[in-house]
């Protein structure tokens, strides 16, 4: 399979031949990229150009939505998936059917690169019509079955014999720690608990066997102790949560950054959560003290609002590393303490990030956010960065 396609003049050119073969000369390589090679390609022993035609169609689909990575799960529904995705994207029917043919299980049905280019060139995109079809809502039984299936899958892949991780997880666990909320065991346990699924006591014993110290764990929320504290509170291990929280405050990296996922705001967020659980005023006072310190480092943009440069010197946007995450904590703190200056500061911080929204120019008036203030694109839809993160704050605090 080729890695890229270049369209120019009267042809489509395949470039970056990392696994290319010359018919009659080279043997077929054993390298495959899931979703971009025909299903059943592993059984092939001869070089076939039709496999490249499949790759071309797969990349055309991936430009709209990378559903091709999941085709092996439901191979009988490939055509239906493409038709529905392209209908939602208002693609012309001719293009839809060309891509469906390119992804066919029958090699003889796949258009060549020249035929695909001719179809792209001759199609009248102005006549594309947006379909309006009802979106079926899943039933409660379907949701329950899906959740139970996920729980069974996770349970079947837990490995108590390993020390570096309990469940299959993000690769970053091997460069950080095995317990974090973001990539480690406590993140999975949190998800299982919130889904109402049982937690095997052996999993918690496995986690307890790993000592959590300032030497090996950062103080932050996503990858460090503050996030573990949040999960321990959920699991009603209040004593350990309290110990970890107060120890993390003495961490040498505690005041290195101010954001929610890595900085002081994440610690203050967990302190608030612990106060709500215990009603122990020391945790509210500690959260208030850290919030005041965060505010003392705020930068002011007269037009946009409050912001805090990240450790790289750039102004990041969003819930994880931008002003939105700090705003979330300040707004909750204001609601709990009834102190207006926290609410005012939280709103100013939120307005800062919102002011950087970009028109996505999709014809529907959608707006998006990038990673940092100095780079307007690409716009992102995610929770750590992007549109979801910017709206997570006002929606949460309004509750």
């Amino acid at each position: 399979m080729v890695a890229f396609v270049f369209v120019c003049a009267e042809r489509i050119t395949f470039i970056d031949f990392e696994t290319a073969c010359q018919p009659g000369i080279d043997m077929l390589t054993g390298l495959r990229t899931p979703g971009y090679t025909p299903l059943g390609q592993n059984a092939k022993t001869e070089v076939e150009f039709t496999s490249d035609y499949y790759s071309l169609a797969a990349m055309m689909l991936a430009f709209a939505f990378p559903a091709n990575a999941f085709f092996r799960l439901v191979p009988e529904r490939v055509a239906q998936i493409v038709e529905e995705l392209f209908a939602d994207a208002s693609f012309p029917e001719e293009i839809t059917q060309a891509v469906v043919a390119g992804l066919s299980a029958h090699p003889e049905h796949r258009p060549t690169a020249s035929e695909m280019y001719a179809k792209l060139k001759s199609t009248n995109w102005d006549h594309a019509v947006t379909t309006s079809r009802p979106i079926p809502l899943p039933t409660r039984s379907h949701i329950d079955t899906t959740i139970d299936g996920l729980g069974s899958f996770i349970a079947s892949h837990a490995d108590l014999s390993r020390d570096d991780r309990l469940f299959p997880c993000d690769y970053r666990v091997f460069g950080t720690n095995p317990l974090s909320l973001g990539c480690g065991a406590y993140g999975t346990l949190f998800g299982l608990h919130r889904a109402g699924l049982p937690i095997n006591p052996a999993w918690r014993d496995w986690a307890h066997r790993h000592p959590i110290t300032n030497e090996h764990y950062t103080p932050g929320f996503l990858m460090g102790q503050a996030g573990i504290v949040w999960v321990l509170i959920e699991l009603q291990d209040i004593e350990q949560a309290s110990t970890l929280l107060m120890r993390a405050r003495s961490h040498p990296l505690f005041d290195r950054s101010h954001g929610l996922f890595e900085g002081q705001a994440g610690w203050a967020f967990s302190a608030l959560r612990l106060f709500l659980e215990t009603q122990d005023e020391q945790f509210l006072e500690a959260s208030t003290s850290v919030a005041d310190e965060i505010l003392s480092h705020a930068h002011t943009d007269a037009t946009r609002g409050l912001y805090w440069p990240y450790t790289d010197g750039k102004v990041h946007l969003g819930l994880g590393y931008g002003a939105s995450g700090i705003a979330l904590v300040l707004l909750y703190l204001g609601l709990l303490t009834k102190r207006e200056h926290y609410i005012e500061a939280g709103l100013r911080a939120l307005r800062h990030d919102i002011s950087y929204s970009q028109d996505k120019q999709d014809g529907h008036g959608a707006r998006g956010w990038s990673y940092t203030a100095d780079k307007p694109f690409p716009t992102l839809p995610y929770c750590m960065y992007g549109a979801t993160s910017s709206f997570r704050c006002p929606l949460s605090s309004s509750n």
Side-chain angles (χ1 to χ4, degrees):
M1 192 203 91
V2 297
F4 297 99
V5 174
F6 182 67
V7 181
C8 67
E10 297 297 326
R11 66 185 186 278
I12 295 179
T13 303
F14 297 90
I15 60 176
D16 195 0
F17 289 83
E18 55 190 10
T19 60
C21 303
Q22 282 188 280
I25 298 177
D26 301 319
M27 295 180 62
L28 187 66
T29 67
L31 298 176
R32 306 283 185 270
T33 302
Y36 294 89
T37 52
L39 300 175
Q41 177 74 15
N42 290 341
K44 298 287 185 179
T45 58
E46 297 181 0
V47 178
E48 296 177 349
F49 283 109
T50 53
S51 295
D52 287 335
Y53 304 151
Y54 183 99
S55 299
L56 172 59
M59 282 187 278
M60 292 175 66
L61 170 62
F63 293 150
F65 188 85
N68 48 301
F70 304 98
F71 281 170
R72 62 186 179 86
L73 301 178
V74 283
E76 72 280 1
R77 297 185 62 186
V78 169
Q80 179 186 357
I81 292 171
V82 175
E83 289 169 353
E84 293 191 4
L85 286 173
F86 278 20
D88 289 342
S90 303
F91 281 16
E93 181 65 18
E94 300 95 311
I95 300 300
T96 300
Q97 294 309 315
V99 173
V100 168
L103 296 171
S104 172
H106 304 284
E108 67 273 12
H109 293 169
R110 299 170 194 158
T112 67
S114 298
E115 291 170 341
M116 190 68 83
Y117 176 78
K119 183 67 68 175
L120 288 168
K121 187 176 180 181
S122 63
T123 298
N124 187 344
W125 291 77
D126 294 334
H127 290 170
V129 178
T130 302
T131 59
S132 178
R133 54 188 178 83
I135 301 176
L137 296 176
T139 63
R140 181 67 199 187
S141 61
H142 176 76
I143 294 174
D144 290 340
T145 300
T146 301
I147 292 175
D148 290 340
L150 290 170
S152 297
F153 178 84
I154 292 171
S156 67
H157 287 79
D159 189 348
L160 295 168
S161 68
R162 297 181 60 153
D163 288 326
D164 56 349
R165 58 91 168 157
L166 176 57
F167 306 102
C169 54
D170 189 284
Y171 70 91
R172 284 172 290 186
V173 75
F174 303 113
T176 52
N177 65 77
L179 299 181
S180 70
L181 173 63
C183 301
Y186 275 119
T188 304
L189 295 180
F190 176 73
L192 292 171
H193 175 73
R194 293 303 297 265
L197 295 171
I199 293 178
N200 187 334
W203 299 342
R204 296 187 66 172
D205 291 340
W206 183 94
H208 288 153
R209 293 202 307 267
H210 291 74
I212 302 174
T213 64
N214 282 350
E215 182 179 0
H216 296 102
Y217 287 75
T218 63
F221 192 83
L222 184 67
M223 305 300 291
Q225 296 179 64
I228 294 174
V229 166
W230 190 280
V231 182
L232 290 173
I233 297 170
E234 287 280 338
L235 299 178
Q236 291 299 297
D237 194 345
I238 304 301
E239 182 177 354
Q240 187 183 11
S242 303
T243 301
L244 283 184
L245 185 76
M246 302 315 292
R247 179 192 300 156
R249 192 176 184 184
S250 64
H251 198 288
L253 297 178
F254 182 75
D255 57 359
R256 177 81 177 272
S257 64
H258 310 295
L260 180 64
F261 280 2
E262 287 186 2
Q264 293 171 305
W267 188 93
F269 202 35
S270 289
L272 281 180
R273 179 74 175 81
L274 196 53
F275 165 72
L276 290 173
E277 187 68 31
T278 65
Q279 293 300 302
D280 188 333
E281 291 288 336
Q282 70 166 320
F283 299 121
L284 180 60
E285 292 172 2
S287 182
T288 301
S289 174
V290 171
D292 289 341
E293 185 177 348
I294 293 172
L295 286 174
S296 71
H297 290 89
H299 292 235
T300 301
D301 184 308
T303 303
R304 299 181 185 273
L306 299 181
Y307 67 95
W308 290 259
Y310 186 53
T311 54
D312 60 4
K314 295 183 178 181
V315 179
H316 288 238
L317 306 173
L319 187 71
Y321 303 96
S324 296
I326 296 175
L328 179 67
V329 177
L330 292 174
L331 290 171
Y332 270 126
L333 187 59
L335 291 173
L336 281 171
T337 62
K338 308 300 182 184
R339 298 177 186 175
E340 289 293 330
H341 73 282
Y342 288 131
I343 294 178
E344 179 186 355
L347 291 175
R348 291 177 67 193
L350 183 59
R351 290 191 191 104
H352 173 270
D353 278 13
I354 291 177
S355 72
Y356 281 96
S357 69
Q358 302 289 328
D359 186 350
K360 299 189 70 172
Q361 300 179 354
D362 60 353
H364 301 290
R367 304 190 69 82
W369 285 260
S370 182
Y371 291 100
T372 57
D374 62 329
K375 294 182 179 180
F377 296 101
T379 56
L380 305 163
Y382 307 119
C383 188
M384 183 181 294
Y385 289 100
T388 307
S389 72
S390 295
F391 283 101
R392 175 74 171 85
C393 177
L395 288 175
S396 296
S397 58
S398 65
N399 292 332

